[in-house]
Amino acid sequence: MTSVPTPIPSRTQYVLDAIKHRILTGQLTPGQALVETELAAQFGVSKTPVREALKTLAGTGLVVMSQYKGVTVRMVDADMAREVYDVRLLLEPEALRRAVRRGASLDAARTALTRADDATDTAERSLANREFHRALYLPCGNPLLGRMLDEVRDQAALVSAVAWAASPSWEREAGEHREILRLALEGDADGAARALHAHIASFVERAFPQATDQAANPAANQEGNA
């Protein structure tokens, strides 16, 4: 007998979506404390939906729950960036390759790219870029692969928000997005996958160079941690 997932109550979903939006758009910054009573007052709800929303966000890796520090927005460092982007590099280009080979529609990616180009602030641009990448991998024909990439999607957006705050680079990334989509629309599955791989790799190299240094020199890391 198949179990049916328990739906999230509407108030919890509202609080969950609102807190996630604030985190992914930089309104709530890494390391910032998330106090249940304050959030409940802000959203006009009891502490229960706030508590449930924070538990869900902890499960997705966006917040950290500590017995001593309470709940805080997850810190972003080179190790965290490397872990998240390693998963993307392994899975996302292959998902796009499969989507192109099966002739999947990429209209949603085209729409998201236009939204990103027309964005008037960082928050809107960030959300549009997330939708662009999701529109590339979701029609890959393997729902499990899509769900696996969805699992790291929010954490990748958190990394991007921190990197953009330090050094805005969306104009370069927008050009790379256009090239990826061009290749995909032309049916060049391998070319589009290579361009996407280079796009993801170059971003983390620029934003967190120490992450790539550590990945290239694991022996040195072990010596340094000994």
Side-chain angles (χ1 to χ4, degrees), residues 77-218:
D77 57 20
D79 288 338
M80 184 266 202
R82 186 181 68 247
E83 291 171 4
V84 171
Y85 276 72
D86 272 352
V87 173
R88 291 188 65 192
L89 284 168
L90 288 168
L91 300 181
E92 201 166 324
E94 177 60 25
L96 174 58
R97 180 184 287 111
R98 295 185 180 196
V100 174
R101 285 179 175 170
R102 66 194 299 263
S105 171
L106 295 174
D107 288 346
R110 197 200 311 263
T111 299
L113 190 58
T114 300
R115 278 182 52 215
D117 287 341
D118 294 341
T120 57
D121 57 41
T122 302
E124 188 178 353
R125 186 179 294 109
S126 176
L127 293 172
N129 281 344
R130 291 177 69 221
E131 288 306 315
F132 173 76
H133 277 273
R134 190 168 192 260
L136 294 180
Y137 69 69
L138 203 60
C140 66
N142 184 330
L144 178 58
L145 179 55
R147 288 196 298 272
M148 291 173 70
L149 282 163
D150 275 348
E151 284 291 315
V152 299
R153 184 168 173 250
D154 288 343
Q155 294 180 53
L158 180 57
V159 172
S160 296
V162 171
W164 280 4
S167 178
S169 58
W170 51 75
E171 289 185 0
R172 172 174 175 167
E173 287 142 31
E176 293 172 354
H177 284 173
R178 285 189 285 271
E179 177 62 9
I180 292 165
L181 184 58
R182 182 187 70 79
L183 291 166
L185 291 173
E186 290 178 355
D188 186 352
D190 291 334
R194 283 193 299 270
L196 179 57
H197 188 282
H199 166 69
I200 295 170
S202 65
F203 176 81
V204 77
E205 286 168 7
R206 292 193 305 273
F208 297 90
Q210 62 270 47
T212 52
D213 290 344
Q214 291 170 7
N217 299 286

